[in-house]
Amino acid sequence: MTRNLLTGAITVDDLPAATAAFIRAQGAKRGLDGDPLDGVTHGLRTDEDTHERLSSGPRVEHHTTEMLLSPTLLVIAYRQGHDDRYDRVDPAARVSFHRLDQLELVDAPVEKRARTLGAHAHGVLSLASRPVGGPPRRATRHIPTGNAPEAATFRTALAAAVERARADA
């Protein structure tokens, strides 16, 4: 099995309209005040293609993860398939909202690092949090980001925003 990651910086305007609407609707459903996409300072999109050779032929899966950072919130949107249809959101799409003052950046386990290109800690963003409107327990998420300069910039901005949010709390 092979994996290919393509990572790049994004803005809210780079989101497909259906994805932005989905994020806003989920934010309202989970009780967030205001538009969760207002004030976004940094964004990172990772497209991950997985190629697997099966006896019945090749199988290719595509996953897109977008992370959007505001001064108080990290939004993580995840969907499958390609963005060839901007008029609707993948039925399996998910979004989570993480308050920065409750977020912890953690080291990725070795097995998670090994599945990304470069196979080192900077290829995966791992965070522990209790998502807004989610289960009452903290969970750790491992998001493949690759080693592109945009991923490092996002990681640095996220760490600084978490630190500021904790200081202000």
Side-chain angles (χ1 to χ4, degrees):
M1 177 167 29
T2 61
R3 293 183 188 276
N4 296 320
L5 288 177
L6 178 62
T7 302
I10 60 167
T11 67
V12 171
D13 294 335
D14 295 324
L15 291 173
T19 300
F22 175 70
I23 291 170
R24 288 179 173 114
Q26 288 296 309
K29 183 178 178 181
R30 295 183 194 174
L32 290 177
D33 292 332
D35 182 350
L37 298 178
D38 277 350
V40 168
T41 59
H42 292 80
L44 186 71
R45 176 180 173 153
T46 302
D47 290 298
E48 180 179 23
D49 289 317
T50 306
H51 304 270
E52 186 174 10
R53 173 110 18 236
L54 302 173
S55 60
S56 60
R59 181 176 71 177
V60 178
E61 291 184 8
H62 182 84
H63 303 277
T64 298
T65 304
E66 284 132 344
M67 295 184 286
L68 302 153
L69 177 62
S70 74
T72 60
L73 198 66
L74 174 65
V75 177
I76 303 172
Y78 171 86
R79 59 190 185 281
Q80 298 175 11
H82 289 280
D83 284 335
D84 12 67
R85 296 192 147 204
Y86 289 103
D87 59 337
R88 67 179 180 88
V89 173
D90 164 31
R94 298 185 310 265
V95 65
S96 58
F97 305 93
H98 306 267
R99 296 196 191 283
L100 296 181
D101 62 346
Q102 300 172 6
L103 188 83
E104 181 182 357
L105 299 173
V106 297
D107 290 331
V110 173
E111 64 273 10
K112 296 293 181 184
R113 286 182 262 167
R115 63 179 280 227
T116 65
L117 297 175
H120 60 79
H122 297 294
V124 177
L125 179 64
S126 295
L127 36 100
S129 168
R130 181 190 169 274
V132 175
R137 60 180 173 76
R138 286 173 59 91
T140 301
R141 248 187 113 139
H142 308 286
I143 303 157
T145 60
N147 301 313
E150 297 89 349
T153 299
F154 186 85
R155 189 177 287 108
T156 300
L158 177 59
V162 166
E163 192 173 309
R164 276 192 305 279
R166 285 191 182 154
D168 292 345

